[in-house]
Amino acid sequence: MTAIQLRAELFREMSPLLDSEAAMEKLLKYVRKLAAKKNDPTLMTKEEFFANVDEALEQAQKGQVHRMEPDESLDDFLKRVG
């Protein structure tokens, strides 16, 4: 579907909601939530992701790895290597 077709379909689907103030308020709240820009530090581009994978593989090939000790909790491991 093209952007124009998607826009037309969106407005067709929203049309029945525009007769109800309560429905419009819910719709507006949802649209604002969708449009809100969130600063998520875990988001990355495909290129950044694969660059991180390549870097991790290089470190592993060099023996630069971290291993959890037996009976070590994940929190303790992360504190030790972080």
Side-chain angles (χ1 to χ4, degrees):
M1 247 188 221
T2 66
I4 293 172
Q5 291 169 323
L6 286 170
R7 184 176 295 149
E9 181 68 19
L10 175 63
F11 285 113
R12 262 193 304 279
E13 294 293 329
M14 285 186 345
S15 182
L17 300 174
L18 301 179
D19 294 332
S20 163
E21 188 174 331
M24 284 194 304
E25 287 175 358
K26 287 181 182 180
L27 179 62
L28 182 59
K29 182 179 177 182
Y30 184 69
V31 169
R32 284 182 178 152
K33 184 178 176 182
L34 283 176
K37 292 188 178 185
K38 297 183 181 185
N39 188 9
D40 185 348
T42 63
L43 294 179
M44 63 181 80
T45 66
K46 197 177 192 180
E47 291 78 17
E48 291 170 325
F49 173 79
F50 285 112
N52 287 342
V53 170
D54 290 342
E55 182 182 348
L57 288 172
E58 287 176 17
Q59 289 174 344
Q61 289 172 347
K62 293 177 185 175
Q64 301 170 338
V65 296
H66 300 285
R67 290 186 170 77
M68 286 183 68
E69 301 297 329
D71 300 323
E72 182 178 28
S73 74
L74 181 59
D75 287 337
D76 291 338
F77 171 75
L78 293 173
K79 287 176 188 172
R80 180 170 55 86
V81 299

